[in-house]
Amino acid sequence: MRQQQRDLGLLVQFMRDLSERQSQLFFVVNSFLVGYRPAELQPLVDDDVAEAAAAQAATLETSARGVIYEHRPASLPAERLMRALKPLLEEAGGKGRTAFDRDAAVVLRRIEEAARGARAGDEANRRAFLDLIARVLRKTDGDHNEPIAAPADGPRLIVP
Protein backbone atom coordinates (compact mmCIF):
# COMPACT_ATOMS: atom_id res chain seq x y z
CA MET A 1 0.00 0.00 0.00
CA ARG A 2 2.85 2.37 0.83
CA GLN A 3 4.57 1.54 -2.45
CA GLN A 4 1.38 2.30 -4.36
CA GLN A 5 0.94 5.65 -2.57
CA ARG A 6 4.59 6.52 -3.21
CA ASP A 7 4.28 5.56 -6.88
CA LEU A 8 1.16 7.65 -7.41
CA GLY A 9 2.78 10.58 -5.59
CA LEU A 10 5.80 10.42 -7.89
CA LEU A 11 3.62 10.13 -10.97
CA VAL A 12 1.55 13.16 -9.92
CA GLN A 13 4.80 15.06 -9.34
CA PHE A 14 6.00 14.14 -12.84
CA MET A 15 2.70 15.33 -14.32
CA ARG A 16 2.63 18.70 -12.56
CA ASP A 17 1.55 21.61 -14.73
CA LEU A 18 0.66 19.46 -17.75
CA SER A 19 -2.49 20.33 -19.65
CA GLU A 20 -5.19 17.70 -20.12
CA ARG A 21 -3.98 16.93 -23.64
CA GLN A 22 -0.39 16.67 -22.43
CA SER A 23 -1.45 14.43 -19.53
CA GLN A 24 -3.21 12.10 -21.94
CA LEU A 25 -0.14 11.97 -24.15
CA PHE A 26 2.02 11.36 -21.06
CA PHE A 27 -0.03 8.24 -20.29
CA VAL A 28 -0.07 7.10 -23.93
CA VAL A 29 3.73 7.29 -24.14
CA ASN A 30 4.20 5.62 -20.76
CA SER A 31 1.76 2.85 -21.68
CA PHE A 32 3.82 2.33 -24.82
CA LEU A 33 6.99 2.16 -22.71
CA VAL A 34 5.47 -0.46 -20.40
CA GLY A 35 4.61 -2.69 -23.35
CA TYR A 36 7.80 -2.00 -25.34
CA ARG A 37 9.99 -5.04 -25.81
CA PRO A 38 13.37 -4.57 -27.49
CA ALA A 39 13.97 -6.89 -30.42
CA GLU A 40 17.34 -7.91 -29.09
CA LEU A 41 18.15 -9.42 -25.72
CA GLN A 42 19.50 -6.12 -24.42
CA PRO A 43 17.09 -4.84 -21.74
CA LEU A 44 15.81 -1.27 -21.78
CA VAL A 45 16.94 0.91 -18.85
CA ASP A 46 15.93 4.36 -17.62
CA ASP A 47 18.95 6.03 -19.24
CA ASP A 48 17.79 4.72 -22.63
CA VAL A 49 14.30 6.12 -22.03
CA ALA A 50 15.73 9.50 -21.02
CA GLU A 51 18.04 9.62 -24.06
CA ALA A 52 15.30 8.61 -26.51
CA ALA A 53 12.83 11.10 -25.04
CA ALA A 54 15.42 13.90 -25.08
CA ALA A 55 16.41 13.23 -28.70
CA GLN A 56 12.79 13.05 -29.91
CA ALA A 57 11.90 16.21 -27.95
CA ALA A 58 14.89 18.05 -29.45
CA THR A 59 13.81 16.93 -32.93
CA LEU A 60 10.28 18.25 -32.35
CA GLU A 61 11.56 21.53 -30.86
CA THR A 62 13.90 22.06 -33.82
CA SER A 63 11.06 21.30 -36.23
CA ALA A 64 8.83 23.88 -34.50
CA ARG A 65 11.48 26.50 -35.34
CA GLY A 66 11.31 25.53 -39.01
CA VAL A 67 14.49 23.46 -39.17
CA ILE A 68 14.23 19.81 -40.16
CA TYR A 69 16.92 17.95 -38.24
CA GLU A 70 16.62 14.62 -36.49
CA HIS A 71 18.55 14.45 -33.24
CA ARG A 72 20.00 11.07 -32.32
CA PRO A 73 20.42 9.48 -28.90
CA ALA A 74 23.88 8.22 -27.94
CA SER A 75 23.03 4.57 -27.27
CA LEU A 76 21.71 1.96 -29.69
CA PRO A 77 18.83 0.82 -27.40
CA ALA A 78 17.72 4.46 -27.09
CA GLU A 79 17.90 4.83 -30.87
CA ARG A 80 15.69 1.77 -31.34
CA LEU A 81 13.22 3.04 -28.76
CA MET A 82 13.07 6.43 -30.48
CA ARG A 83 12.37 4.77 -33.85
CA ALA A 84 9.60 2.68 -32.27
CA LEU A 85 8.09 5.71 -30.53
CA LYS A 86 8.03 7.90 -33.64
CA PRO A 87 5.02 6.23 -35.39
CA LEU A 88 3.01 6.42 -32.15
CA LEU A 89 3.59 10.17 -31.96
CA GLU A 90 2.83 10.66 -35.65
CA GLU A 91 -0.45 8.76 -35.32
CA ALA A 92 -1.42 10.59 -32.13
CA GLY A 93 -0.63 13.96 -33.73
CA GLY A 94 -3.09 13.64 -36.57
CA LYS A 95 -3.56 16.82 -38.59
CA GLY A 96 -2.74 19.40 -35.91
CA ARG A 97 0.98 18.77 -36.10
CA THR A 98 2.42 22.12 -34.94
CA ALA A 99 0.46 22.41 -31.69
CA PHE A 100 0.76 18.68 -31.08
CA ASP A 101 4.52 18.75 -31.68
CA ARG A 102 4.90 21.43 -29.00
CA ASP A 103 2.81 19.39 -26.56
CA ALA A 104 4.71 16.21 -27.43
CA ALA A 105 8.05 17.97 -26.86
CA VAL A 106 6.88 19.12 -23.40
CA VAL A 107 5.70 15.59 -22.54
CA LEU A 108 8.91 13.97 -23.78
CA ARG A 109 11.01 16.43 -21.76
CA ARG A 110 8.90 15.56 -18.72
CA ILE A 111 9.44 11.84 -19.35
CA GLU A 112 13.17 12.48 -19.67
CA GLU A 113 13.11 14.36 -16.36
CA ALA A 114 11.03 11.61 -14.73
CA ALA A 115 13.35 8.84 -15.91
CA ARG A 116 16.40 10.69 -14.62
CA GLY A 117 14.63 11.66 -11.38
CA ALA A 118 13.40 8.15 -10.60
CA ARG A 119 16.88 6.82 -11.29
CA ALA A 120 18.39 9.44 -8.95
CA GLY A 121 16.02 8.33 -6.19
CA ASP A 122 17.07 4.68 -6.54
CA GLU A 123 20.59 4.58 -8.01
CA ALA A 124 20.92 0.82 -7.58
CA ASN A 125 17.92 0.16 -9.85
CA ARG A 126 18.68 0.99 -13.49
CA ARG A 127 14.96 0.50 -14.28
CA ALA A 128 13.44 2.56 -11.45
CA PHE A 129 11.23 4.65 -13.76
CA LEU A 130 10.23 1.73 -15.96
CA ASP A 131 9.35 -0.32 -12.87
CA LEU A 132 7.34 2.61 -11.47
CA ILE A 133 5.19 3.02 -14.59
CA ALA A 134 4.77 -0.76 -14.88
CA ARG A 135 3.37 -0.85 -11.33
CA VAL A 136 1.05 2.11 -11.91
CA LEU A 137 -0.15 1.21 -15.42
CA ARG A 138 -1.28 -2.34 -14.87
CA LYS A 139 -4.54 -4.18 -15.37
CA THR A 140 -6.98 -3.88 -12.51
CA ASP A 141 -8.79 -7.17 -13.14
CA GLY A 142 -6.47 -9.14 -10.90
CA ASP A 143 -3.65 -9.71 -13.36
CA HIS A 144 -0.98 -7.34 -12.08
CA ASN A 145 1.85 -8.54 -14.29
CA GLU A 146 0.56 -7.49 -17.69
CA PRO A 147 0.54 -3.84 -18.81
CA ILE A 148 -2.61 -2.06 -19.86
CA ALA A 149 -3.29 -2.26 -23.58
CA ALA A 150 -4.69 0.87 -25.18
CA PRO A 151 -8.23 0.36 -26.50
CA ALA A 152 -8.76 0.63 -30.24
CA ASP A 153 -10.66 3.93 -29.96
CA GLY A 154 -7.91 5.67 -27.90
CA PRO A 155 -6.26 5.54 -24.52
CA ARG A 156 -8.24 5.87 -21.33
CA LEU A 157 -7.05 6.02 -17.75
CA ILE A 158 -9.08 5.50 -14.64
CA VAL A 159 -7.29 6.48 -11.44
CA PRO A 160 -8.91 5.30 -8.20
Side-chain angles (χ1 to χ4, degrees), residues 5-126:
Q5 290 174 343
R6 183 177 160 267
D7 290 347
L8 288 175
L10 282 172
L11 196 61
V12 167
Q13 178 185 347
F14 297 147
M15 293 179 57
R16 70 188 182 284
D17 304 328
L18 293 180
S19 69
E20 182 179 342
R21 179 173 155 171
Q22 291 169 340
S23 296
Q24 290 172 349
L25 184 58
F26 182 83
F27 278 106
V28 167
V29 172
N30 283 320
S31 294
F32 172 82
L33 290 173
V34 168
Y36 177 76
R37 300 290 176 253
E40 289 73 31
L41 295 175
Q42 189 172 15
L44 191 66
V45 295
D46 291 348
D47 291 337
D48 298 328
V49 172
E51 283 183 36
Q56 187 63 43
T59 298
L60 293 171
E61 291 162 351
T62 304
S63 176
R65 286 184 241 129
V67 178
I68 305 301
Y69 178 78
E70 187 170 307
H71 295 264
R72 300 273 185 199
S75 73
L76 188 56
E79 172 76 25
R80 289 181 181 134
L81 175 60
M82 184 177 144
R83 271 191 262 135
L85 188 58
K86 200 172 187 177
L88 174 78
L89 294 174
E90 288 173 358
E91 181 181 331
K95 295 182 182 182
R97 291 301 309 175
T98 305
F100 176 81
D101 287 352
R102 278 186 241 128
D103 284 343
V106 167
V107 167
L108 290 167
R109 289 292 181 194
R110 191 61 59 89
I111 289 172
E112 173 193 9
E113 176 187 327
R116 293 189 197 286
R119 180 75 158 67
D122 186 4
E123 292 185 23
N125 185 359
R126 296 182 63 205

Side-chain angles (χ1 to χ4, degrees), residues 4 35 71 101 131-132 141 155:
Q4 192 175 32
H71 295 264
D101 287 352
D131 292 346
L132 166 79
D141 62 359

